[in-house]
Amino acid sequence: MTFFVRLFLLFTILVSINCGPPKGEFGWATSKAQDLNILERHIQIITDYKMMREGLIFSPNDTIHYVYSFSRNPGVETDFYISLNRYELDYVEIDIKKKNVELESGSIRDSFSQLRTGEYLIKIVHEGEVLDEVKFQVLPEEGYTEETIEQELAGDQEDELIKYSR
């Protein structure tokens, strides 16, 4: 191979490695927003997150705080979309937010509150491509019984035929 072919291959490899936003890690924390007054809710800053992907279970009373820390800073001008999906018959998007990376930390932070019980999927999206995703569950504090499952299934249905056929 000639010198220019080798140089071109090396350049191609380096560009493909550093192109696009980097992957990262999810971190989680919870708080009880109903215990705080309005001012405390707005100035509250969560700094201690548990970095994990598996076995994520939260309560409907929790305010769920997350952080997505990138392996390298993708730049503060880069737009990301955070998609929250709830499992019905398949995952259905229930919330989407446009976020930018924080300059100081090189990460994205946000929170969700008042989520109903169920299974959720959060996705980090850039230019229509899913960079990362993680599943979590919101379970009632008292646990599930057969009666509460039936009530939730019947109450979640918009279609009256499905709702009353259970």
Side-chain angles (χ1 to χ4, degrees):
M1 275 194 234
T2 68
F3 173 75
F4 291 109
V5 172
R6 287 184 188 158
L7 185 61
F8 176 75
L9 289 174
L10 180 61
F11 176 75
T12 306
I13 290 170
L14 289 175
V15 167
S16 66
I17 289 173
N18 288 322
C19 276
K23 295 257 183 190
E25 289 297 322
F26 279 99
W28 305 91
T30 60
S31 67
K32 302 286 188 199
Q34 66 270 16
D35 296 342
L36 304 174
N37 65 38
I38 293 173
L39 180 60
E40 290 174 325
R41 285 183 208 156
H42 288 294
I43 63 172
Q44 178 185 32
I45 298 173
I46 303 293
T47 57
D48 190 23
Y49 293 91
K50 187 171 183 177
M51 306 306 276
M52 60 187 296
R53 294 181 161 272
E54 302 293 322
L56 297 167
I57 299 173
F58 302 103
S59 163
N61 299 328
D62 288 337
T63 296
I64 304 166
H65 304 270
Y66 70 87
V67 64
Y68 190 76
S69 296
F70 290 94
S71 59
R72 61 180 167 78
N73 195 330
V76 293
E77 299 294 320
T78 308
D79 292 333
F80 292 92
Y81 291 90
I82 311 304
S83 170
L84 180 65
N85 302 269
R86 185 172 191 274
Y87 188 81
E88 300 292 333
L89 296 174
D90 196 5
Y91 284 100
V92 177
E93 188 172 79
I94 60 170
D95 190 19
I96 189 162
K97 296 178 183 176
K98 182 178 176 181
K99 302 293 278 181
N100 291 93
V101 177
E102 294 176 351
L103 179 63
E104 308 82 31
S105 65
S107 57
I108 296 172
R109 296 174 201 263
D110 204 0
S111 64
F112 298 109
S113 59
Q114 299 177 341
L115 295 179
R116 298 183 334 201
T117 58
E119 186 175 322
Y120 291 86
L121 175 69
I122 185 172
K123 297 179 184 180
I124 308 293
V125 180
H126 174 67
E127 294 182 356
E129 190 173 320
V130 176
L131 293 179
D132 208 347
E133 63 185 26
V134 68
K135 293 179 184 177
F136 65 90
Q137 293 185 354
V138 176
L139 299 178
E141 289 181 5
E142 65 275 357
Y144 273 114
T145 65
E146 188 174 327
E147 183 178 304
T148 58
I149 292 172
E150 287 178 6
Q151 287 175 352
E152 278 191 21
L153 289 174
D156 288 348
Q157 297 299 327
E158 298 286 328
D159 186 355
E160 289 185 3
L161 183 61
I162 294 172
K163 182 176 179 176
Y164 295 112
S165 67
R166 297 191 184 276

